[in-house]
Amino acid sequence: MLFGRVHGTAVCTIKYPDLIGMKLLVVQPLDKHLEAVGPMQVAVDVVMAGSGDLCVMVRSREASLALREHKFVPVDLALVGIVDELVVRPDGEFDFTLKKGATQYT
C-alpha cells in the first residue's frame, strides 16, 4: 500500500467500457513522511476522495480487485481509503497492537 495526495481530476473522452462512470484522479505518491515520491499518476477512485485528500492506494492486481462491479479491469492504481489520522513514531517503529473494538479477532 502507498500514500498519495489528490491533486485533481483526469477526464477521458474514450475509456475501457467497464471504466465508464468511474472517477479518475491525479495523485502524487508520498512516503511515510508525506514527501513526494516520483511523478504524479492517475488512479481510479473507489472511496469518493476529493482534491487535497491524503489517501491509501494499491497497485497492480489489487487495484483491479478494488472495483466493486467489475473484475479484471485494466487499472494499475486505485484509491482504497482516505486517511483521517496519521501517526509516525520518531523511532520509525510501528505498533501492531489491535485496539479493543466491537469485532472479536481470532
Side-chain angles (χ1 to χ4, degrees), residues 17-83:
D18 288 342
L19 286 176
I20 294 174
M22 299 282 184
K23 186 164 77 168
L24 301 175
L25 296 175
V26 178
V27 295
Q28 173 66 59
L30 306 171
D31 63 10
K32 70 178 180 178
H33 300 291
L34 304 182
E35 295 175 3
V37 178
M40 289 193 193
Q41 300 178 15
V42 175
V44 175
D45 179 25
V46 297
V47 293
M48 305 309 277
S51 185
D53 283 346
L54 178 62
C55 297
V56 176
M57 306 183 299
V58 291
R59 292 187 184 272
S60 191
R61 173 87 173 115
E62 288 78 16
S64 63
L65 291 174
L67 304 177
R68 291 187 180 130
E69 295 88 22
H70 307 287
K71 301 299 178 210
F72 305 110
V73 178
V75 297
D76 191 45
L77 190 63
L79 300 178
V80 295
I82 299 174
V83 177

Side-chain angles (χ1 to χ4, degrees), residues 1-23:
M1 285 198 200
L2 307 164
F3 289 127
R5 183 153 325 264
V6 178
H7 281 274
T9 311
V11 178
C12 297
T13 56
I14 300 173
K15 295 187 200 182
Y16 184 77
D18 288 342
L19 286 176
I20 294 174
M22 299 282 184
K23 186 164 77 168

